Amino acid sequence: MSTELFTLALSMALEDVRGCTDFDAPAARGFLFWSRANRYLAELLVPEGWGRTSKDNILRVIHPDRTHAITAISGERGVGDLDSPVRSKNPKGPAMARMVEKNSRLADQLAIVSHDVVLHGVEVDDLPTWCLLYKRDEGEIKAELSQPVKMRGKFVDEWLERLPLTLPPMEDPGFDISLDEPDDGRGPEVFVELLGEN
């Protein structure tokens, strides 16, 4: 893996997001950047023998040797700066919590062959998963590749390893790219009662 690969994936995502206008949904830019960063990682790595999955709405590429996986998410605070703490920008759901928990301990072996084992040769959730964290900061994109091991509340904020990426300058996107995962459907429910015609 190289910095150039991550640079290419993030710069292509940024280019796609530049096509958004004020007529798009307010969160479209952030959602599209997250989706496209993961898409381009997959498009660049799958031809090299990597696998991919979107299990539990966590978009991941899986190393050919099935030793680890990578997902792109937005970060905040000191992304790319080892002297500063970093955490995920947006709240994460139970699927991410399970993934982070599995990163911090060895997974139990299952006796039954699952869909993941048939498709990928391994339980996807048992793979150590690294996060390509990205952030817009002072007119540039900062990034790092980090392995999460703990969440406080709904935010990933403890990392086993953090590898800052030195990215070449990319034109300032001029907008927030921080939304990085779809709604898990657990938001508020609004009930609407239709009134009869008068």
Side-chain angles (χ1 to χ4, degrees):
M1 307 228 34
S2 66
T3 300
E4 289 77 21
L5 178 129
F6 296 120
T7 299
L8 184 56
L10 294 174
S11 63
M12 288 191 302
L14 188 58
E15 192 59 36
D16 287 352
V17 171
R18 284 194 179 102
C20 291
T21 73
D22 290 341
F23 292 106
D24 282 296
R29 290 178 174 106
F31 179 82
L32 184 61
F33 190 90
W34 164 76
S35 177
R36 293 297 167 87
N38 281 289
R39 168 188 162 178
Y40 291 129
L41 276 178
E43 286 183 358
L44 293 166
L45 291 171
V46 166
E48 303 296 322
W50 288 62
R52 67 163 295 281
T53 180
S54 57
K55 183 179 180 184
D56 297 324
N57 280 334
I58 301 173
L59 306 178
R60 289 173 270 193
V61 288
I62 303 167
H63 190 274
D65 294 335
R66 306 308 189 239
T67 54
H68 62 281
I70 299 172
T71 184
I73 63 171
S74 64
E76 74 171 358
R77 299 186 189 147
V79 174
D81 178 3
L82 294 181
D83 294 328
S84 298
V86 68
R87 75 170 204 179
S88 60
K89 169 80 175 171
N90 297 303
K92 304 294 173 216
M96 181 68 80
R98 287 189 302 274
M99 184 200 75
V100 170
E101 173 70 21
K102 294 233 177 165
N103 272 353
S104 65
R105 63 180 171 77
L106 293 174
D108 297 329
Q109 296 296 320
L110 296 176
I112 321 173
V113 175
S114 70
H115 177 75
D116 282 356
V117 171
V118 170
L119 195 59
H120 303 292
V122 67
E123 287 292 335
V124 172
D125 291 336
D126 290 346
L127 293 174
T129 299
W130 291 70
C131 294
L132 172 60
L133 293 168
Y134 56 82
K135 173 186 175 186
R136 176 180 175 238
D137 186 32
E138 296 180 12
E140 59 182 307
I141 304 292
K142 305 262 184 170
E144 66 180 65
L145 191 61
S146 299
Q147 187 176 14
V149 291
K150 190 173 262 189
M151 289 178 66
R152 288 190 202 343
K154 291 189 171 193
F155 295 90
V156 181
D157 68 349
E158 193 171 314
W159 314 87
L160 180 64
E161 183 91 31
R162 291 178 61 199
L163 306 170
L165 301 173
T166 304
L167 302 176
M170 290 185 228
E171 184 181 328
D172 180 7
F175 44 73
D176 186 16
I177 56 170
S178 64
L179 182 70
D180 58 28
E181 66 181 26
D183 183 359
D184 64 4
R186 297 187 179 159
E189 292 184 21
V190 178
F191 296 97
V192 177
E193 182 179 336
L194 298 175
L195 300 175
E197 291 182 33
N198 290 338

